[in-house]
Amino acid sequence: MNSSSGVIAGLDGCAVQEPDAARVAATRDRLVTPEEATRLAELFRLLGDPTRARLLYALLEAGELCVCDLSDAVEVTDTAVSHALRLLRTAGIVASRRAGRMIYYRLADAHVRMLLDLSREHLKETG
């Protein structure tokens, strides 16, 4: 709210209601599209599950594991691991390879590794 009207702006509000048109335009030009924002939200929703997060960090540490190794590492059932991996594979977060009758899972690419590394580092900073 405007201070000239006698109302004090809150800590999260603007003291003056005069947006900087140039900064707003420049920000809009670099902003993610609504479609990208939806895809990002879906990605973070997938990463927001504790079991899936632990599976991803297990893959980050091990490089590649099969379902039974992942199940033992994160202490959840094979069924839960398989379901989580199906979601993560469909989203392009993990990849798999077949070796005979075994299927091994790994993080899909370096971007996923960086996202996990940065997220963990952020947690360490924020306590």
Side-chain angles (χ1 to χ4, degrees), residues 6-127:
V7 178
I8 298 173
L11 292 177
D12 292 332
C14 292
V16 179
Q17 292 294 317
E18 297 175 21
D20 182 331
R23 289 187 79 185
V24 170
T27 301
R28 282 186 181 155
D29 287 344
R30 293 186 306 269
L31 198 59
V32 295
T33 66
E35 294 80 16
E36 288 172 318
T38 298
R39 290 177 56 210
L40 281 168
E42 290 169 358
L43 171 67
F44 283 112
R45 194 172 10 262
L46 276 173
L47 300 177
D49 175 80
T51 298
R52 290 190 294 259
R54 293 190 75 218
L55 289 170
L56 292 171
Y57 279 101
L59 293 173
L60 178 67
E61 295 303 323
E64 186 177 72
L65 292 169
C66 66
V67 169
C68 52
D69 289 344
L70 279 165
S71 177
D72 283 351
V74 300
E75 300 174 311
V76 297
T77 66
D78 288 0
T79 304
V81 170
S82 292
H83 176 69
L85 289 171
R86 191 174 316 112
L87 294 171
L88 294 167
R89 190 179 59 243
T90 300
I93 298 169
V94 299
S96 63
R97 74 169 176 90
R98 180 177 293 277
R101 295 183 61 175
M102 297 293 292
I103 299 177
Y104 293 92
Y105 293 87
R106 67 187 180 284
L107 298 179
D109 59 33
H111 297 111
V112 176
R113 290 180 178 283
M114 286 191 315
L115 181 61
L116 294 172
D117 284 338
L118 289 172
S119 297
R120 197 169 205 182
E121 195 61 35
H122 177 69
L123 286 177
K124 289 177 185 176
E125 288 180 8
T126 59

